[in-house]
Amino acid sequence: MENEFLNIVDKRINAAYEVPISQGTIRAMDLRKIKAGPDDFGLMTYDPAFMNTASCKSAITFIDGDKGILRYRGYPIEQLAEKCTFLEVAYLILFGELPTQAELETWIDNVTHHTMIHETTKKFLEGFRFNAHPMGMFISTVAALSTVYPEARNVLDPETRRLQILRLVGKVPTIAAYTYRHSLGFPYVYPDNELTYTENFMNMLWKMVEPKYRANPALARALDILFILHADHEQNCSANVMRAVGSSQADPFVATAAAAAALSGPLHGGANEEVLKMLDEIGSKDRVPAYIERVKAGQIKLMGFGHRIYKNYDPRARIIKWAADQVFEVTGRNPKLEIALELERIALEDEYFVKRKLYPNVDFYSGIMYQAMGFKPEIFTVLFAIPRTVGWLAQWQEMIEDPEQKIARPRQVYTGYEARDFVPIEKRGKPAPVAS
Ligand code: CMC
């Protein structure tokens, strides 16, 4: 709404200010004019971890965390997961509208023709130790693509950007699959252009000596749905990294690698792997109450629970639960599901979790489903990174095209020493002189 203002009175000097409010925000730079005196720098906000700071305007993803709503470009996640393929949703996220039939065919054809990686990049992967974590290999190899496509640095050119988007969306499944094959010591499988995005990924993961890999359609569809659910999630930690690195006009390969590095942490995308470790540690349903007690005592966190934005059931977790059932019909039920369901049941009734509004997030059930499909836990976060590459690229593209954006450079509140004189080495380490 226009013509809304915030009145601020600075009691230090009894000065009054009128600050415009727009879309529920005030501009932090408007506070700079609030000064205690002529030499004062002006007021800043202090917001560690960006708890209450909008760093950009974005038209990509909408979340209402209290109501548990997630929409891409206005479309509810439930409808997209039910009716679309992942590449259709990727097009929507990247370009703003659902594709027409012709647009979709061209898009799929373009992505499909960018799935190969250069043979030298393949050799680069071979340099990793046999037990290297797939996420470390993924991050490094995506960064290494920057050396293969030096023209990607031309980030202000829309056509160049579009080409790198195609390359990244096309190549991340190939890199992901190769990290997996490397860890198993299996030869790499080249992409098969006749297959869909997820079927081809499964082909590169699991094809052995058969002439043609045929993915189980139910499993391929379940993976496609998982990819849709993970495609974007507005200004999360890794999207923020993508924008921050991209804001220096670094190329999208290194920016994507940086975003993937942020994703790898256990509080972000790395949580899906941690959930499986946690379920292994618990071991059986009867040991759940004791585990919950340790969580409540603050000794450990319940992985796959809680979210900065969702203070309600994560809508993605609900859909994953449904997709997991479809997978279990093919693979048989993962015995860890019993433990997870019991954890959820107890946690949702317990005062500790209820008071803090802690609900299962996207990572709580995804690992159980991935494991049933045959994935090892170390690859789980890589599975998250494949579709999230689409979200990162959409956020990056939006940032580049936004005339209000500049190189990201937060302020700080300095809490260190005032100026002090250099101390020669022989005089260091002595107790500081006591002021008389
Ligand atoms: N288990 C136990 N207690 C928790 C948990 C949890 N998983 N999450 C939050 N809390 C408690 C926390 O200790 C704090 O309690 P108190 O008020 O007594 O200090 C309160 O809930 C608020 O938590 P917070 O740490 O201030 O919340 P945050 O917004 O900073 O953290 C989070 C969000 C996702 C990092 C956190 O909930 C967490 O670490 N969860 C486990 C890791 C996880 O599942 N991450 C995946 C997130 S979803 C996928 C993605 O987008 O990456």
Coordinates of all heavy atoms in Angstrom, one line a residue, residues 33-103:
K33 N 20.0 8.2 7.7 CA 19.9 9.7 8.0 C 19.6 10.0 9.5 O 19.7 11.1 9.9 CB 18.8 10.3 7.1 CG 17.4 9.8 7.3 CD 16.5 10.3 6.2 CE 15.1 9.7 6.4 NZ 14.3 9.6 5.2
I34 N 19.3 8.9 10.2 CA 19.1 9.1 11.7 C 20.4 9.2 12.4 O 21.1 8.1 12.6 CB 18.2 8.0 12.2 CG1 16.9 7.9 11.5 CG2 18.0 8.1 13.7 CD1 15.9 6.8 11.9
K35 N 20.9 10.4 12.7 CA 22.2 10.6 13.3 C 22.1 11.3 14.6 O 21.3 12.2 14.8 CB 23.0 11.4 12.3 CG 23.2 10.8 11.0 CD 24.1 11.7 10.1 CE 24.3 11.0 8.7 NZ 25.4 11.4 8.1
A36 N 23.0 10.9 15.5 CA 23.1 11.6 16.8 C 23.8 12.9 16.8 O 23.7 13.7 17.7 CB 23.7 10.7 17.9
G37 N 24.6 13.1 15.7 CA 25.3 14.3 15.5 C 25.8 14.4 14.1 O 25.8 13.4 13.4
P38 N 26.4 15.5 13.7 CA 26.8 15.7 12.3 C 27.9 14.6 11.9 O 28.0 14.2 10.8 CB 27.4 17.1 12.3 CG 27.3 17.7 13.7 CD 26.6 16.7 14.5
D39 N 28.7 14.2 12.9 CA 29.8 13.2 12.5 C 29.4 11.8 12.7 O 30.1 10.8 12.4 CB 31.0 13.4 13.4 CG 31.7 14.8 13.2 OD1 31.5 15.3 12.1 OD2 32.3 15.3 14.1
D40 N 28.1 11.6 13.1 CA 27.6 10.2 13.3 C 27.5 9.5 11.9 O 27.0 10.2 11.0 CB 26.3 10.3 14.1 CG 25.8 8.9 14.5 OD1 26.5 7.9 14.2 OD2 24.7 8.8 15.0
F41 N 27.8 8.2 11.8 CA 27.6 7.5 10.6 C 26.2 7.3 10.2 O 25.8 7.3 9.0 CB 28.3 6.1 10.8 CG 28.2 5.2 9.6 CD1 29.0 5.4 8.5 CD2 27.3 4.2 9.5 CE1 28.9 4.6 7.4 CE2 27.2 3.4 8.4 CZ 28.0 3.6 7.3
G42 N 25.3 7.3 11.2 CA 23.9 7.0 10.9 C 23.5 5.6 11.4 O 24.4 4.8 11.5
L43 N 22.2 5.4 11.6 CA 21.7 4.2 12.2 C 21.8 3.0 11.2 O 21.6 3.2 10.0 CB 20.3 4.4 12.6 CG 19.8 3.7 13.9 CD1 20.7 4.1 15.1 CD2 18.4 4.0 14.2
M44 N 22.2 1.9 11.7 CA 22.1 0.6 10.9 C 21.2 -0.4 11.7 O 20.9 -0.2 12.8 CB 23.5 0.0 10.8 CG 24.5 0.7 10.0 SD 26.0 -0.3 9.7 CE 26.7 -0.6 11.3
T45 N 20.8 -1.4 11.0 CA 20.2 -2.5 11.7 C 21.2 -3.6 12.0 O 22.1 -3.8 11.2 CB 19.0 -3.1 10.8 OG1 19.5 -3.5 9.6 CG2 17.9 -2.1 10.6
Y46 N 21.0 -4.3 13.1 CA 21.8 -5.5 13.4 C 21.0 -6.7 13.3 O 20.0 -6.9 14.0 CB 22.4 -5.3 14.8 CG 23.2 -6.5 15.4 CD1 24.3 -6.9 14.7 CD2 22.8 -7.1 16.5 CE1 25.0 -8.0 15.2 CE2 23.5 -8.2 17.0 CZ 24.6 -8.6 16.3 OH 25.3 -9.7 16.8
D47 N 21.3 -7.6 12.4 CA 20.5 -8.8 12.1 C 21.3 -10.0 11.8 O 21.3 -10.4 10.6 CB 19.5 -8.4 10.9 CG 18.4 -9.5 10.7 OD1 18.3 -10.3 11.6 OD2 17.8 -9.4 9.7
P48 N 21.9 -10.6 12.8 CA 22.7 -11.8 12.5 C 21.8 -12.9 12.0 O 20.7 -13.1 12.4 CB 23.3 -12.2 13.9 CG 22.6 -11.4 14.9 CD 22.0 -10.2 14.2
A49 N 22.3 -13.6 11.0 CA 21.6 -14.7 10.3 C 20.4 -14.2 9.5 O 19.5 -15.0 9.2 CB 21.2 -15.8 11.3
F50 N 20.3 -12.9 9.3 CA 19.2 -12.4 8.4 C 17.8 -12.8 8.9 O 17.0 -13.2 8.1 CB 19.3 -12.7 7.0 CG 20.6 -12.4 6.3 CD1 21.5 -13.3 5.8 CD2 21.0 -11.0 6.3 CE1 22.7 -12.9 5.2 CE2 22.3 -10.7 5.7 CZ 23.1 -11.6 5.2
M51 N 17.6 -12.8 10.2 CA 16.3 -13.3 10.7 C 15.1 -12.4 10.3 O 14.0 -12.9 10.2 CB 16.4 -13.3 12.3 CG 17.4 -14.2 12.9 SD 16.9 -15.9 12.8 CE 15.7 -16.0 14.0
N52 N 15.4 -11.1 10.0 CA 14.3 -10.2 9.7 C 14.7 -9.2 8.6 O 14.3 -8.0 8.7 CB 13.8 -9.5 10.9 CG 12.5 -8.9 10.8 OD1 11.6 -9.4 10.1 ND2 12.3 -7.7 11.3
T53 N 15.5 -9.7 7.6 CA 16.0 -8.8 6.6 C 15.6 -9.3 5.2 O 16.0 -10.5 4.9 CB 17.5 -8.6 6.7 OG1 17.7 -7.9 7.9 CG2 18.0 -7.8 5.6
A54 N 14.9 -8.6 4.4 CA 14.7 -9.0 3.0 C 15.8 -8.5 2.2 O 16.1 -7.2 2.2 CB 13.3 -8.4 2.5
S55 N 16.6 -9.4 1.6 CA 17.8 -8.9 0.9 C 17.5 -8.7 -0.6 O 18.4 -8.2 -1.3 CB 18.9 -10.0 1.0 OG 18.4 -11.2 0.4
C56 N 16.3 -9.0 -1.0 CA 16.0 -8.8 -2.4 C 14.5 -8.7 -2.6 O 13.7 -9.1 -1.7 CB 16.6 -9.9 -3.3 SG 15.9 -11.5 -2.9
K57 N 14.1 -8.3 -3.8 CA 12.7 -8.5 -4.2 C 12.7 -9.7 -5.1 O 13.6 -9.8 -6.0 CB 12.1 -7.3 -4.9 CG 11.9 -6.1 -4.0 CD 11.4 -4.9 -4.7 CE 11.2 -3.8 -3.7 NZ 10.9 -2.5 -4.4
S58 N 11.8 -10.7 -5.0 CA 11.8 -11.8 -5.8 C 10.4 -12.3 -6.2 O 9.5 -12.2 -5.4 CB 12.5 -13.0 -5.1 OG 12.5 -14.1 -5.9
A59 N 10.3 -12.7 -7.5 CA 8.9 -13.1 -8.0 C 8.9 -14.7 -8.2 O 8.1 -15.2 -9.0 CB 8.6 -12.4 -9.3
I60 N 9.9 -15.4 -7.7 CA 10.0 -16.8 -8.0 C 9.2 -17.7 -7.1 O 8.3 -18.4 -7.5 CB 11.5 -17.2 -8.0 CG1 12.3 -16.3 -8.9 CG2 11.7 -18.7 -8.4 CD1 13.8 -16.4 -8.8
T61 N 9.5 -17.7 -5.8 CA 8.9 -18.6 -4.9 C 8.2 -17.9 -3.7 O 8.8 -17.0 -3.2 CB 10.0 -19.6 -4.3 OG1 10.4 -20.4 -5.4 CG2 9.4 -20.5 -3.3
F62 N 7.0 -18.3 -3.4 CA 6.3 -17.8 -2.2 C 6.2 -18.8 -1.2 O 5.7 -19.9 -1.4 CB 4.9 -17.3 -2.7 CG 4.1 -16.8 -1.5 CD1 4.2 -15.6 -1.0 CD2 3.1 -17.7 -1.0 CE1 3.4 -15.2 0.1 CE2 2.4 -17.3 0.1 CZ 2.5 -16.0 0.6
I63 N 6.5 -18.4 0.1 CA 6.3 -19.3 1.2 C 5.5 -18.6 2.3 O 5.8 -17.5 2.6 CB 7.6 -19.8 1.8 CG1 8.5 -20.5 0.8 CG2 7.4 -20.7 3.0 CD1 9.9 -20.9 1.3
D64 N 4.4 -19.2 2.8 CA 3.8 -18.7 4.0 C 4.1 -19.8 5.0 O 3.5 -20.9 5.1 CB 2.3 -18.5 3.8 CG 1.6 -17.9 5.1 OD1 2.1 -18.3 6.2 OD2 0.7 -17.2 4.9
G65 N 5.1 -19.5 5.9 CA 5.6 -20.5 6.8 C 4.6 -20.9 7.9 O 4.6 -22.0 8.4
D66 N 3.7 -19.9 8.3 CA 2.7 -20.2 9.3 C 1.6 -21.1 8.8 O 1.1 -22.0 9.5 CB 2.1 -18.9 9.9 CG 3.2 -18.1 10.6 OD1 4.0 -18.8 11.3 OD2 3.2 -16.9 10.5
K67 N 1.3 -20.9 7.5 CA 0.2 -21.7 7.0 C 0.7 -23.0 6.3 O -0.1 -23.8 5.8 CB -0.6 -20.9 6.0 CG -1.3 -19.7 6.6 CD -2.4 -19.1 5.7 CE -3.1 -17.9 6.3 NZ -2.9 -16.7 5.6
G68 N 2.0 -23.1 6.1 CA 2.6 -24.2 5.4 C 2.3 -24.2 3.9 O 1.9 -25.2 3.3
I69 N 2.4 -23.0 3.3 CA 2.2 -22.9 1.8 C 3.5 -22.6 1.1 O 4.3 -21.9 1.5 CB 1.2 -21.6 1.6 CG1 -0.2 -21.9 2.2 CG2 1.2 -21.3 0.1 CD1 -1.1 -20.7 2.1
L70 N 3.6 -23.3 0.0 CA 4.8 -23.2 -0.9 C 4.2 -23.1 -2.4 O 3.5 -23.9 -2.8 CB 5.7 -24.3 -0.8 CG 6.9 -24.5 -1.8 CD1 7.8 -23.3 -1.8 CD2 7.7 -25.7 -1.6
R71 N 4.6 -22.0 -3.1 CA 4.2 -21.9 -4.5 C 5.4 -21.4 -5.3 O 6.2 -20.6 -4.9 CB 3.2 -20.8 -4.6 CG 1.9 -21.0 -3.9 CD 0.8 -19.9 -4.2 NE -0.2 -19.9 -3.2 CZ -0.5 -18.9 -2.5 NH1 0.0 -17.7 -2.7 NH2 -1.5 -19.0 -1.5
Y72 N 5.5 -22.0 -6.5 CA 6.5 -21.6 -7.5 C 5.8 -20.7 -8.5 O 4.8 -21.2 -9.1 CB 7.2 -22.7 -8.3 CG 8.0 -23.7 -7.5 CD1 8.1 -25.0 -7.9 CD2 8.6 -23.4 -6.3 CE1 8.8 -26.0 -7.2 CE2 9.3 -24.3 -5.6 CZ 9.5 -25.6 -6.0 OH 10.2 -26.6 -5.4
R73 N 6.2 -19.5 -8.7 CA 5.6 -18.5 -9.6 C 4.1 -18.5 -9.5 O 3.3 -18.4 -10.5 CB 5.9 -18.9 -11.1 CG 7.5 -19.0 -11.3 CD 8.0 -17.6 -11.6 NE 9.4 -17.7 -12.0 CZ 10.2 -16.6 -12.1 NH1 9.8 -15.4 -11.8 NH2 11.5 -16.7 -12.5
G74 N 3.6 -18.7 -8.3 CA 2.1 -18.6 -8.0 C 1.4 -19.9 -8.0 O 0.3 -20.1 -7.4
Y75 N 2.0 -21.0 -8.5 CA 1.4 -22.3 -8.6 C 1.7 -23.1 -7.3 O 2.8 -23.2 -6.9 CB 1.9 -23.1 -9.8 CG 1.5 -22.5 -11.1 CD1 2.4 -21.8 -11.9 CD2 0.2 -22.6 -11.6 CE1 2.0 -21.2 -13.1 CE2 -0.2 -22.1 -12.8 CZ 0.7 -21.4 -13.6 OH 0.4 -20.8 -14.8
P76 N 0.6 -23.6 -6.7 CA 0.8 -24.4 -5.5 C 1.7 -25.7 -5.7 O 1.5 -26.3 -6.8 CB -0.6 -24.9 -5.0 CG -1.5 -23.9 -5.7 CD -0.8 -23.5 -7.0
I77 N 2.6 -25.9 -4.8 CA 3.5 -27.1 -5.0 C 2.8 -28.4 -5.2 O 3.2 -29.3 -5.9 CB 4.5 -27.1 -3.8 CG1 5.7 -28.1 -4.1 CG2 3.9 -27.5 -2.5 CD1 6.6 -27.7 -5.1
E78 N 1.6 -28.5 -4.5 CA 0.9 -29.8 -4.6 C 0.4 -30.0 -6.0 O 0.5 -31.1 -6.5 CB -0.4 -29.7 -3.7 CG -0.1 -29.7 -2.2 CD 0.3 -28.3 -1.7 OE1 0.3 -27.3 -2.5 OE2 0.7 -28.2 -0.5
Q79 N 0.0 -28.9 -6.7 CA -0.5 -29.1 -8.1 C 0.6 -29.4 -9.0 O 0.5 -30.2 -9.9 CB -1.2 -27.8 -8.6 CG -2.6 -27.6 -7.8 CD -3.3 -26.4 -8.3 OE1 -3.0 -25.9 -9.4 NE2 -4.2 -25.9 -7.5
L80 N 1.8 -28.7 -8.8 CA 2.9 -28.9 -9.7 C 3.4 -30.4 -9.5 O 3.8 -31.0 -10.5 CB 4.0 -27.9 -9.4 CG 3.7 -26.5 -9.7 CD1 4.8 -25.5 -9.2 CD2 3.4 -26.2 -11.2
A81 N 3.5 -30.8 -8.3 CA 4.0 -32.2 -8.0 C 3.1 -33.2 -8.7 O 3.6 -34.2 -9.1 CB 4.2 -32.4 -6.5
E82 N 1.8 -32.9 -8.7 CA 0.9 -33.9 -9.2 C 0.9 -34.0 -10.7 O 0.8 -35.0 -11.3 CB -0.5 -33.6 -8.6 CG -1.5 -34.7 -9.0 CD -3.0 -34.3 -8.7 OE1 -3.1 -33.5 -7.8 OE2 -3.9 -34.9 -9.3
K83 N 0.9 -32.8 -11.3 CA 0.6 -32.7 -12.7 C 1.8 -32.5 -13.7 O 1.7 -32.6 -14.9 CB -0.4 -31.5 -13.0 CG -1.7 -31.8 -12.2 CD -2.7 -30.7 -12.6 CE -3.9 -30.6 -11.6 NZ -4.6 -31.7 -11.4
C84 N 3.0 -32.1 -13.1 CA 4.1 -31.7 -14.0 C 5.2 -32.7 -14.0 O 5.4 -33.4 -13.0 CB 4.6 -30.3 -13.6 SG 3.5 -29.0 -13.9
T85 N 6.1 -32.5 -15.0 CA 7.4 -33.2 -14.9 C 8.4 -32.2 -14.3 O 8.1 -31.0 -14.3 CB 7.9 -33.6 -16.3 OG1 8.1 -32.4 -17.1 CG2 7.0 -34.6 -16.9
F86 N 9.6 -32.7 -13.9 CA 10.5 -31.8 -13.3 C 11.0 -30.7 -14.3 O 11.1 -29.5 -14.0 CB 11.8 -32.6 -12.8 CG 12.9 -31.6 -12.4 CD1 12.8 -30.8 -11.3 CD2 14.0 -31.6 -13.2 CE1 13.8 -29.9 -11.0 CE2 15.1 -30.7 -12.9 CZ 15.0 -29.9 -11.8
L87 N 11.3 -31.1 -15.5 CA 11.8 -30.1 -16.5 C 10.7 -29.0 -16.8 O 11.1 -27.9 -17.1 CB 12.3 -30.8 -17.8 CG 13.7 -31.4 -17.7 CD1 14.1 -31.9 -19.1 CD2 14.7 -30.4 -17.2
E88 N 9.5 -29.4 -16.7 CA 8.4 -28.4 -16.9 C 8.4 -27.4 -15.8 O 8.3 -26.2 -16.0 CB 7.1 -29.2 -16.9 CG 6.0 -28.6 -17.7 CD 4.7 -29.6 -17.6 OE1 4.9 -30.8 -17.2 OE2 3.6 -29.1 -18.0
V89 N 8.6 -27.9 -14.6 CA 8.7 -27.0 -13.4 C 10.0 -26.2 -13.5 O 10.0 -25.0 -13.1 CB 8.6 -27.8 -12.1 CG1 8.8 -26.9 -10.9 CG2 7.2 -28.5 -12.0
A90 N 11.0 -26.8 -13.9 CA 12.3 -26.0 -14.1 C 12.1 -24.9 -15.0 O 12.6 -23.7 -14.7 CB 13.4 -27.0 -14.6
Y91 N 11.4 -25.1 -16.1 CA 11.2 -24.0 -17.1 C 10.4 -22.9 -16.4 O 10.7 -21.7 -16.5 CB 10.4 -24.6 -18.3 CG 10.2 -23.6 -19.4 CD1 11.0 -23.6 -20.5 CD2 9.1 -22.7 -19.3 CE1 10.8 -22.7 -21.6 CE2 8.9 -21.8 -20.3 CZ 9.7 -21.8 -21.5 OH 9.5 -20.9 -22.5
L92 N 9.3 -23.3 -15.7 CA 8.5 -22.3 -15.0 C 9.3 -21.5 -14.0 O 9.2 -20.3 -14.0 CB 7.4 -23.1 -14.2 CG 6.6 -22.3 -13.2 CD1 5.6 -21.4 -13.9 CD2 5.8 -23.2 -12.2
I93 N 10.2 -22.1 -13.2 CA 11.0 -21.4 -12.2 C 11.9 -20.5 -12.9 O 12.1 -19.3 -12.5 CB 11.7 -22.4 -11.3 CG1 10.7 -23.1 -10.4 CG2 12.8 -21.8 -10.5 CD1 11.2 -24.2 -9.5
L94 N 12.6 -21.0 -14.0 CA 13.6 -20.2 -14.6 C 13.0 -19.0 -15.5 O 13.6 -18.0 -15.5 CB 14.5 -21.1 -15.5 CG 15.5 -21.9 -14.7 CD1 16.0 -23.1 -15.6 CD2 16.7 -21.1 -14.3
F95 N 11.9 -19.3 -16.2 CA 11.4 -18.3 -17.1 C 10.1 -17.7 -16.8 O 9.6 -16.9 -17.5 CB 11.4 -19.0 -18.5 CG 12.7 -19.6 -18.9 CD1 12.8 -21.0 -19.1 CD2 13.9 -18.8 -19.0 CE1 14.1 -21.6 -19.4 CE2 15.1 -19.4 -19.4 CZ 15.2 -20.8 -19.5
G96 N 9.5 -18.1 -15.7 CA 8.3 -17.4 -15.2 C 7.0 -17.9 -15.5 O 6.0 -17.6 -14.8
E97 N 6.9 -18.7 -16.6 CA 5.6 -19.2 -17.0 C 5.7 -20.7 -17.3 O 6.8 -21.2 -17.7 CB 5.1 -18.5 -18.3 CG 4.7 -17.0 -18.1 CD 3.6 -16.7 -17.2 OE1 2.8 -17.6 -16.9 OE2 3.5 -15.6 -16.7
L98 N 4.6 -21.4 -17.2 CA 4.6 -22.8 -17.7 C 4.8 -22.8 -19.2 O 4.2 -22.0 -19.9 CB 3.3 -23.5 -17.3 CG 3.1 -23.9 -15.8 CD1 1.7 -24.3 -15.5 CD2 4.1 -25.0 -15.4
P99 N 5.6 -23.8 -19.7 CA 5.9 -23.8 -21.1 C 4.7 -24.3 -21.9 O 3.9 -25.1 -21.5 CB 7.0 -24.7 -21.3 CG 6.9 -25.7 -20.1 CD 6.3 -24.9 -19.0
T100 N 4.5 -23.8 -23.2 CA 3.6 -24.4 -24.1 C 4.2 -25.7 -24.5 O 5.4 -26.0 -24.3 CB 3.4 -23.5 -25.4 OG1 4.7 -23.4 -26.0 CG2 2.9 -22.1 -25.0
Q101 N 3.4 -26.5 -25.3 CA 4.0 -27.8 -25.7 C 5.2 -27.6 -26.5 O 6.2 -28.3 -26.3 CB 2.9 -28.5 -26.6 CG 3.2 -30.0 -26.9 CD 3.4 -30.9 -25.7 OE1 2.7 -30.8 -24.7 NE2 4.4 -31.7 -25.8
A102 N 5.2 -26.6 -27.5 CA 6.4 -26.4 -28.3 C 7.6 -25.9 -27.5 O 8.7 -26.4 -27.7 CB 6.0 -25.4 -29.4
E103 N 7.3 -25.0 -26.6 CA 8.4 -24.5 -25.7 C 9.0 -25.6 -24.9 O 10.2 -25.7 -24.7 CB 7.9 -23.4 -24.8 CG 7.6 -22.1 -25.5 CD 6.8 -21.1 -24.6 OE1 6.1 -21.5 -23.7 OE2 6.8 -19.9 -25.0

